[in-house]
Amino acid sequence: MGHFTKVEDRPTPKSVYNWRVYGCAAFAGSAAIMIGYDSAFIGTTIALPSFKAEFKMNQLSSSAINLLSANIVSCYQAGAFFGAIFAYVAAFFLGRVSGLAVFSAIFTLGAGLMLGANGERGLGLIYAGRVLAGIGVGGASNLAPIYIAEISPPAIRGRLVCMFELGWQIGGLVGFWINYGISLHVPKMWIVPFAVQLIPSGILFIGTFWLRESPRWLMSKGRRELAVKNLCWMRELHEDEIYIKEEMYAIETDIERQMAGGGMGFWQPFKLLASNRHIQWRFFLGGSLFFWQNASGINAINYYSPTVFKSIGITGLNTSLFTTGLFGVVKTVFTIIYLIFLIDQYGRRRLLMIGAAGGSLCLWYVGAYIAIAKPALHPTKSLPPSGVSAIFFFYLWTAFYSPTWNPTPWVYNSEMFDQNVRTLAQAFAAMNNWFWNFMVSRFTPQMFATMGYGVYFFFASLMILSVAFVYFLMPETKNIPLEGIDRLFDRRLKAREAHSIVWKELAEEEEVLRIGLTSGGLEKDTATAQIENVEQKV
């Protein structure tokens, strides 16, 4: 199978893979640019001498500086946690696209508030602005992956959802490098990185005026005519095409099944979650993926990269910022490789296990180097060969992590839930992300101060445990239509076997449905009965 071969769930016209669906995914994915940038720039910005001088941080003790830095960084995650909750309300009443517009506006307001901070006013506006920016990214991190998953053809769904992750890495790349440029050319302009936040939020806000609402959300609200119109626009097909009929049939059948199970009201997902162990299990799996993602140590590095590189032996602000910038380059390059070559070809499960096992070995090496060489006690102007090898293994860890654990939890959570609980489930997943993000960002300075090289061993051990979690509990989801995902999580199926079993079932059902729809003589009830008969035989 070639790298660009699409594994389709049914015969698919080439026009389905058109520029519109990629454009919608790219614009929605630009929500992650503001997330990635905000995550990357803050750690290096508060390390700038001009920032420290402006807010008199040089007069504080090291423990007070650690606390202040942790507060500046972590209030953003606190806002994002609640933004993920608010996104459920926005998505239910406003839709995916209007919700993205609202949260991009909230982020813009927060970014503007931060520009008003200075030494006289203190850090209050930065705190307030970062909370609002956090609410904005919390909501966007909920809605953007759902929107992309709902408009994507199954064969390229993973690739398109990765537009969100690619946006995250592009924003992070700019955030990592911007302070290196400032330190070289305009060292007193600490305000510039804060102002740049307005660019990605503006792109997203303007882009929402072009985006079409998700047909699946419109169908859930009974707006079938507009749903068909938007679906035809996204697929570049006429509504009489067999592919459109099949997709609308699948959406309608899925919604009818959910209506029969209790309806699709505002509180219905909460009732289903409280009463249905099958759904509770999937919520647990989706939230746990973000625990394991943060257990890799990624956000300790994202937010406190100067501290991390200093622990390995990198000295000097410019050198540290340059090394941090290279970290951003490696992450972005391997995310692009993931998007183009890996996600829809090799699947989710295999990549997660490879990334965790390889990344763990790298962190064990880095921690062992620090434990033996003690670079903090023996500072040098240039790294010895052993120090260079530690940096190499750090970047190798980045190469293992970036195309595996960085994007895949978002891909899984955008596709593994039914329509009637999808928005609540994504809110729960995003809340988990931002909660563990908050925990790591809040306590990383203290961890390095007390544990030293043990921090690397701690994260390496957790990465090994995540391999077992994925192997035994997470089924493969690649190329399965959203309406068929539910079957993968049948507890009677082993996770490692579920994909092949469900794929075979769907192939037989699709053949029956296509014959009926093509002949024009198969009514909906008859089609459903024949498909159910196929399921029983399988």
Side-chain angles (χ1 to χ4, degrees), residues 313-328:
I314 300 293
T315 58
L317 178 63
N318 285 353
T319 304
S320 177
L321 293 176
F322 181 80
T323 311
T324 298
L326 289 180
F327 167 66

Side-chain angles (χ1 to χ4, degrees), residues 431-447:
M431 287 164 59
N432 269 273
N433 173 67
W434 295 114
F435 172 77
W436 295 114
N437 215 303
F438 170 82
M439 296 297 289
V440 171
S441 64
R442 179 63 182 79
F443 296 107
T444 290
Q446 291 84 351
M447 288 176 68

Side-chain angles (χ1 to χ4, degrees), residues 250-362:
I251 295 171
E252 288 177 322
T253 302
D254 192 53
I255 289 176
E256 287 177 4
R257 177 177 61 83
Q258 294 162 28
M259 292 296 291
M264 301 183 70
F266 181 85
W267 295 108
Q268 185 60 25
F270 296 93
K271 296 176 183 177
L272 289 172
L273 179 59
S275 61
N276 191 317
R277 291 187 178 182
H278 188 62
I279 293 175
Q280 292 168 6
W281 175 246
R282 261 189 279 180
F283 268 66
F284 165 76
L285 293 178
S288 295
L289 284 173
F290 285 106
F291 166 77
W292 294 114
Q293 182 195 64
N294 281 274
S296 69
I298 181 60
N299 285 307
I301 298 165
N302 275 344
Y303 295 118
Y304 299 103
S305 50
T307 301
V308 172
F309 286 114
K310 183 179 179 181
S311 73
I312 301 176
I314 300 293
T315 58
L317 178 63
N318 285 353
T319 304
S320 177
L321 293 176
F322 181 80
T323 311
T324 298
L326 289 180
F327 167 66
V329 171
V330 174
K331 285 180 65 182
T332 304
V333 168
F334 278 91
T335 298
I336 294 173
I337 292 173
Y338 173 86
L339 185 154
I340 296 176
F341 298 110
L342 300 178
I343 181 60
D344 285 318
Q345 285 74 25
Y346 295 97
R348 288 60 156 152
R349 269 172 56 88
R350 187 187 308 175
L351 291 175
L352 287 179
M353 290 187 287
I354 292 172
S360 177
L361 292 175
C362 294

Side-chain angles (χ1 to χ4, degrees), residues 432-508:
N432 269 273
N433 173 67
W434 295 114
F435 172 77
W436 295 114
N437 215 303
F438 170 82
M439 296 297 289
V440 171
S441 64
R442 179 63 182 79
F443 296 107
T444 290
Q446 291 84 351
M447 288 176 68
F448 272 101
T450 58
M451 297 173 64
Y453 63 84
V455 174
Y456 296 96
F457 292 161
F458 173 73
F459 288 126
S461 300
L462 291 175
M463 291 191 82
I464 284 293
L465 293 176
S466 69
V467 175
F469 173 85
V470 173
Y471 181 79
F472 289 108
L473 301 181
M474 295 303 302
E476 181 56 65
T477 58
K478 69 171 183 176
N479 307 129
I480 300 293
L482 288 180
E483 288 71 30
I485 291 287
D486 185 64
R487 307 185 197 183
L488 293 172
F489 292 88
D490 188 327
R491 297 291 297 277
R492 295 170 295 181
L493 300 180
K494 294 181 179 179
R496 62 183 180 274
E497 299 173 352
H499 185 273
S500 60
I501 294 172
V502 172
W503 183 262
K504 181 180 178 182
E505 290 178 2
L506 291 172
E508 295 191 16

